[in-house]
Amino acid sequence: MTDLTIKNGSLDLAASVYGAEGASPVLCLHGIAGSRDTWEETVRRYEDRYQVWTLDFRGHGDSDRAGSYLIEDYAADAAAALDFIRRPTIIVSHSLGAVTGAYLAQGPHPFLKALFMEDPPYYFGEAAEFAKSGNDKRFDAVQKMLIAIKARGAGLGDYIDAAANAPAPQGGVQADHMNPRHILSAASGLMRQDPECWTPAKTTVVFESFDGGTLLKVPSMVLQADPALGPGFMPEHAKRFLETNPDAKVELVEGAPHRIHATAKSEVRFFELLDAFMTSREK
């Protein structure tokens, strides 16, 4: 593994690369609450076959803080990474990272080869769809918690407690459903995040410049979380998405919450579907 700095204008973006030089590249993009280390299990699974890149978006992880946290800003970060890699690249992405990948796929970006999206909040730039999610209240609570915990100079244990004891849509708390490594990753993501990332995310503003009705111009797949467990990609979204993107695939992962790849019960299915997608792009 090698840590790198990717420039996006005046911003320094933290990235890591794993695997052999010259192997086909994969770029992993995290969600709003995460950082690049959420992909550790993905890296370990694929680094023998691919050159796997992970990126911290602006305001997350070890990347610079910024004055704007909109989808076009995150897309500029991901585009800077693709331009740095400079070879046809598969994007593997979660949530915010997935919509970011879709933004680039509509171009498409010249180095984007294919796009794998884990439960993207694809239509949350629309007020009616965003309202169904309840994210306005949920994200506002996260932001307030984050501001308060940072203000009191909390240590890592406080962040681990916050991540572990957050309510889980399956019932109980997140520690009942996520392994300790993912809990630590979630805590680290919170610790290193700019709380201002949540300001546009708790409204439609963050996604308003993304048009979900525009064709994705690269091979694409969506993993859909369980409709009963607070998905970003809701049941009615699949039909809309496939009407616009008839060659794409949508796969429901039953029993999976929004963080499909980071949940013990759904992690195996996540990798089964990702394996199949990656193999299909090698043909």
Side-chain angles (χ1 to χ4, degrees):
M1 182 269 285
T2 300
D3 291 331
L4 300 165
T5 299
I6 295 174
K7 299 290 292 187
N8 180 14
S10 62
L11 295 180
D12 285 346
L13 303 175
S16 297
V17 59
Y18 308 75
E21 180 66 28
S24 297
V26 175
L27 173 64
C28 298
L29 301 178
H30 62 78
I32 183 73
S35 66
R36 71 189 191 276
D37 63 18
T38 191
W39 298 111
E40 182 174 322
E41 290 77 9
T42 303
V43 166
R44 300 306 173 204
R45 190 176 186 92
Y46 295 111
E47 63 181 336
D48 290 343
R49 293 166 50 201
Y50 297 92
Q51 186 182 67
V52 185
W53 296 74
T54 58
L55 176 72
D56 283 340
F57 283 129
R58 64 183 60 206
H60 295 75
D62 297 317
S63 290
D64 283 349
R65 280 41 186 155
S68 180
Y69 295 112
L70 304 178
I71 190 63
E72 57 264 38
D73 302 314
Y74 295 119
D77 294 344
L82 290 173
D83 291 339
F84 190 84
I85 298 168
R86 298 198 66 76
R87 290 186 293 137
T89 300
I90 297 172
I91 284 181
V92 175
S93 52
H94 174 235
S95 194
L96 168 68
V99 182
T100 299
Y103 190 103
L104 295 179
Q106 291 176 346
H109 188 284
F111 293 122
L112 178 54
K113 177 181 178 180
L115 176 62
F116 185 87
M117 294 176 282
E118 177 189 351
D119 203 39
Y122 209 82
Y123 300 102
F124 281 10
E126 303 172 13
E129 296 305 307
F130 182 76
K132 295 176 187 177
S133 72
N135 282 349
D136 53 346
K137 296 181 177 63
R138 187 179 304 114
F139 287 1
D140 184 61
V142 173
Q143 184 182 45
K144 287 175 178 174
M145 177 275 292
L146 199 54
I147 291 170
I149 200 171
K150 287 178 181 289
R152 69 172 189 262
L156 177 60
D158 297 290
Y159 287 94
I160 291 175
D161 286 344
N165 294 312
Q170 309 96 302
V173 297
Q174 294 294 352
D176 297 327
H177 307 282
M178 297 170 66
N179 69 40
R181 213 292 303 171
H182 277 299
I183 292 293
L184 179 59
S185 173
S188 173
L190 289 172
M191 175 179 276
R192 296 179 294 149
Q193 185 181 33
D194 181 356
E196 277 304 307
C197 294
W198 295 94
T199 298
K202 63 187 182 182
T203 70
T204 59
V205 170
V206 66
F207 292 125
E208 282 181 356
S209 67
F210 174 72
D211 179 9
T214 298
L215 177 70
L216 302 181
K217 299 183 178 69
V218 301
S220 302
M221 182 173 186
V222 173
L223 298 196
Q224 184 179 4
D226 194 302
L229 298 177
F233 196 80
M234 300 178 186
E236 61 271 24
H237 293 171
K239 181 179 179 181
R240 288 183 62 182
F241 176 78
L242 291 170
E243 285 174 349
T244 303
N245 302 282
D247 294 329
K249 297 184 182 301
V250 175
E251 187 78 29
L252 172 64
V253 183
E254 294 183 0
H258 181 58
R259 297 185 198 183
I260 301 171
H261 77 280
T263 301
K265 184 177 179 180
S266 54
E267 182 182 35
V268 171
R269 185 59 177 153
F270 172 84
F271 282 120
E272 287 175 351
L273 293 165
L274 180 55
D275 287 349
F277 182 79
M278 301 276 274
T279 300
S280 73
R281 302 326 322 150
E282 295 172 355
K283 296 177 181 178

